[in-house]
Amino acid sequence: FALHIRRMRSRYRERRAALVDAIRGALGEGFRIVGDQAGMHLVVELPKGLRDREIAREAAEVELWTMPLSWCYAGRPLKQGLVLGYGGNTVPEIRAGVRRLEEVIRSIRGRRTRP
């Protein structure tokens, strides 16, 4: 059992690092990553003007499952963000998922800047 735990920790560490690197590379500044030290999920706080529920809804349309951080608040949401899990995905799947997320966000931003 201890060997299994060590093996899984190593896999999750690799997947977490891939997710953090992909987010930083694709989304850039303004997207703050929280909770990237351990676990199987992390949070990406969104820059001002982006709404987590809108992004999650449109991401689901391209089979990318995210959870809006605003669902975690009992009252008025204090922050907009996405809870992203990586435990059940391979590194290539993680990178592809972040590229799809980037496309969703770019599409949303593009609609907002049109006259």
Side-chain angles (χ1 to χ4, degrees), residues 2-69:
L3 176 63
H4 171 72
I5 296 296
R6 280 193 301 276
R7 192 176 312 134
M8 296 312 293
R9 281 184 181 161
S10 175
R11 286 181 188 168
Y12 294 145
R13 188 178 311 113
E14 176 187 25
R15 292 169 185 176
R16 181 174 55 251
L19 179 57
V20 168
D21 289 345
I23 290 168
R24 288 183 178 148
L27 302 181
E29 292 186 33
F31 293 84
R32 183 171 168 250
I33 301 169
V34 180
D36 61 330
Q37 296 80 23
M40 293 188 289
H41 295 83
L42 57 78
V43 170
V44 176
E45 292 179 355
L46 302 175
K48 193 171 188 169
L50 290 175
R51 298 288 166 240
D52 56 9
R53 292 179 188 202
E54 178 182 19
I55 293 170
R57 184 176 52 254
E58 292 194 26
E61 291 175 9
V62 294
E63 297 185 3
L64 183 63
W65 313 115
T66 65
M67 186 179 92
L69 180 62

Side-chain angles (χ1 to χ4, degrees), residues 106-115:
R106 189 179 314 128
S107 173
I108 290 169
R109 283 181 160 166
R111 288 194 306 265
R112 292 200 178 137
T113 60
R114 291 183 192 148

